[in-house]
Amino acid sequence: MKLNKIHQDLKELYEGKERLNTILGVEFSHQEEAKIYTKILQIGQWYVAPFSFETYNSYAIKLSPNKKLLESPVCLRSRGDHSLFSNNLANFLPMRQLRMLDTSDFVQYILDDWQLLEELSLPLRQYTNSLDSLEFLKEYLHNDDKLIYLENPSEYYTKVYLDFWNHYYNTQQQKEYVELMNSMIKDKSYLPDFEINDYGVWNTRAYNAIGQRAYTLIDIETEKKENQFWQSFIQPHGFDAVEFDFGFIPYTTSSSFQLDTIISKFIPELGYFSKMKNHPLYPVGQILSKNKSSYTGDAHIEAAKAIDELNDPIMAWDALVSAGYWSGVNFGEPNMNAWKAAIDLSEKTWLDRD
């Protein structure tokens, strides 16, 4: 089955190649790929493009109307939600190797099969014009100072994880994200002063973490935390949810569960979010607060239309993603109006760029 162009291209490049799962950690073909992808579409997740599979999970490119596929981040899909895995497809394989380094035995395993790793990764490295993408991994595994960390992953894996991300996503946004998370992880009472920052591919996870931290600080009045709650709420639902006790390493948890705390603040009788009452997404929060489990996503579609008229196509897209998410969570089927609106928005946004 042709899921999308990138999946089809990689499937053809890797046709007949063996030991992909044991060396690369993923397959580009799956005996039930049609069933897996059909299920993804049936629950309304048109906003990702799956391209590789593990036994139970899959990896997908996170779609956005203002980014080309090869420039878009890759997410791990597990139990219906998504968590950020790599900043783009070019860095997917070294990040997949990083995932195996949380067990000390895999260091020698990777080194013993290094030649085969280079051989099997070559088609993807050529496809993404990233022939040198394994060099950092190779140097890391041959560095005696780094081996100290790799021999004790239970204690140092976060250090290794950040070393890889700081290299493969060497941007100002990455530095600011690490600084933010470091501050909140080291000090459980720390809540940053509110400001709108660009954390790049980490935007959703950063604002979800801030929102969760704000909720745990019961000594601070809700009115003084509304901006933090709001920024978490307006992120695309279904991506990079975090729980109260968060760390650097993402794991797939439920946006529906995480948002409970913030949605509860939208109960009309409480009178919160007075500064946001004129925002198109404000009524969505009130609808969700009344009965989250029966929400269809329609209010997000109406909000997206209004947001698009305000010339913010990315926020409009995120609202449509959220519409698709809730329809899938609550009813196991797509919201076709959200899907159609996303296509129209994407076509218009790309046209504007051209």
Side-chain angles (χ1 to χ4, degrees):
M1 179 181 183
K2 183 176 181 179
L3 307 188
N4 53 69
K5 185 179 187 306
I6 287 181
H7 170 255
Q8 185 65 20
D9 290 346
L10 293 176
K11 187 175 178 179
E12 292 174 0
L13 287 171
Y14 280 94
E15 186 176 4
K17 295 187 181 296
E18 299 180 350
R19 297 192 65 189
L20 293 182
N21 194 43
T22 56
I23 302 301
L24 300 185
V26 295
E27 304 267 4
F28 297 102
S29 294
H30 193 288
Q31 60 182 0
E32 294 188 347
E33 64 186 37
K35 180 179 178 181
I36 292 171
Y37 191 47
T38 299
K39 177 63 176 176
I40 290 173
L41 292 179
Q42 283 177 339
I43 62 173
Q45 294 182 353
W46 40 262
Y47 41 79
V48 293
F51 66 90
S52 66
F53 309 91
E54 295 176 338
T55 303
Y56 300 107
N57 301 324
S58 60
Y59 295 91
I61 294 172
K62 182 181 180 182
L63 301 180
S64 178
N66 68 330
K67 283 188 178 182
K68 296 180 180 179
L69 288 177
L70 292 181
E71 298 171 354
S72 300
V74 172
C75 294
L76 169 64
R77 182 182 186 274
S78 178
R79 299 187 301 276
D81 279 69
H82 297 81
S83 60
L84 183 65
F85 192 81
S86 69
N87 62 306
N88 57 33
L89 187 61
N91 295 327
F92 171 67
L93 287 184
M95 288 301 188
R96 187 60 187 77
Q97 298 296 304
L98 167 64
R99 191 180 181 196
M100 292 192 284
L101 294 178
D102 64 355
T103 303
S104 58
D105 294 344
F106 274 96
V107 175
Q108 194 58 47
Y109 179 87
I110 295 172
L111 289 173
D112 289 345
D113 289 315
W114 185 263
Q115 184 174 348
L116 187 54
L117 173 61
E118 287 194 322
E119 176 186 329
L120 289 178
S121 65
L122 183 59
L124 179 56
R125 288 186 286 129
Q126 291 175 327
Y127 184 76
T128 57
N129 193 27
S130 59
L131 291 176
D132 62 350
S133 64
L134 293 181
E135 289 305 307
F136 179 79
L137 171 65
K138 184 177 182 179
E139 293 171 7
Y140 208 94
L141 297 181
H142 285 88
N143 187 319
D144 290 339
D145 294 333
K146 304 299 185 185
L147 285 177
I148 297 173
Y149 305 129
L150 296 172
E151 290 169 355
N152 299 281
S154 61
E155 183 175 357
Y156 295 113
Y157 186 67
T158 296
K159 159 68 176 168
V160 177
Y161 180 87
L162 288 178
D163 283 347
F164 272 67
W165 266 96
N166 291 338
H167 172 79
Y168 286 105
Y169 188 51
N170 185 15
T171 63
Q172 183 62 32
Q173 291 99 326
Q174 170 71 10
K175 293 176 182 176
E176 293 181 2
Y177 169 74
V178 171
E179 181 179 351
L180 166 73
M181 296 293 284
N182 255 329
S183 297
M184 291 196 291
I185 292 169
K186 290 179 178 179
D187 182 357
K188 300 297 184 182
S189 65
Y190 175 73
L191 180 67
D193 293 334
F194 176 73
E195 58 181 339
I196 302 296
N197 285 328
D198 177 11
Y199 297 105
V201 297
W202 294 112
N203 243 23
T204 295
R205 190 165 195 273
Y207 284 118
N208 283 340
I210 291 172
Q212 290 298 79
R213 173 54 51 82
Y215 181 79
T216 64
L217 300 178
I218 60 177
D219 293 335
I220 302 177
E221 296 176 357
T222 298
E223 293 87 341
K224 296 181 180 179
K225 301 183 290 186
E226 286 182 342
N227 286 320
Q228 287 88 341
F229 290 149
W230 179 256
Q231 286 302 313
S232 177
F233 178 71
I234 65 176
Q235 298 304 311
H237 302 171
F239 288 94
D240 290 316
V242 297
E243 295 182 357
F244 299 143
D245 187 18
F246 53 80
F248 267 110
I249 300 172
Y251 54 93
T252 308
T253 187
S254 168
S255 283
S256 177
F257 174 77
Q258 177 215 284
L259 286 166
D260 273 346
T261 55
I262 295 173
I263 289 171
S264 68
K265 303 301 180 184
F266 279 93
I267 296 174
E269 291 76 15
L270 295 178
Y272 296 139
F273 299 109
S274 58
K275 296 178 181 178
M276 294 82 170
K277 284 186 176 180
N278 293 325
H279 195 284
L281 285 169
Y282 175 77
V284 179
Q286 293 201 311
I287 292 171
L288 280 165
S289 72
K290 293 177 181 177
N291 195 344
K292 183 185 70 173
S293 62
S294 65
Y295 179 56
T296 63
D298 287 346
H300 269 105
I301 301 174
E302 292 304 311
K305 294 176 183 176
I307 293 169
D308 185 36
E309 291 174 359
L310 297 173
N311 199 29
D312 192 343
I314 304 308
M315 182 181 283
W317 175 271
D318 288 345
L320 293 172
V321 168
S322 297
Y325 174 77
W326 285 106
S327 179
V329 166
N330 288 331
F331 302 100
E333 60 185 33
N335 186 316
M336 298 304 295
N337 289 329
W339 197 343
K340 182 180 183 302
I343 293 172
D344 293 342
L345 177 63
S346 182
E347 290 177 345
K348 184 176 73 171
T349 302
W350 275 108
L351 185 62
D352 290 344
R353 285 186 66 188
D354 296 338

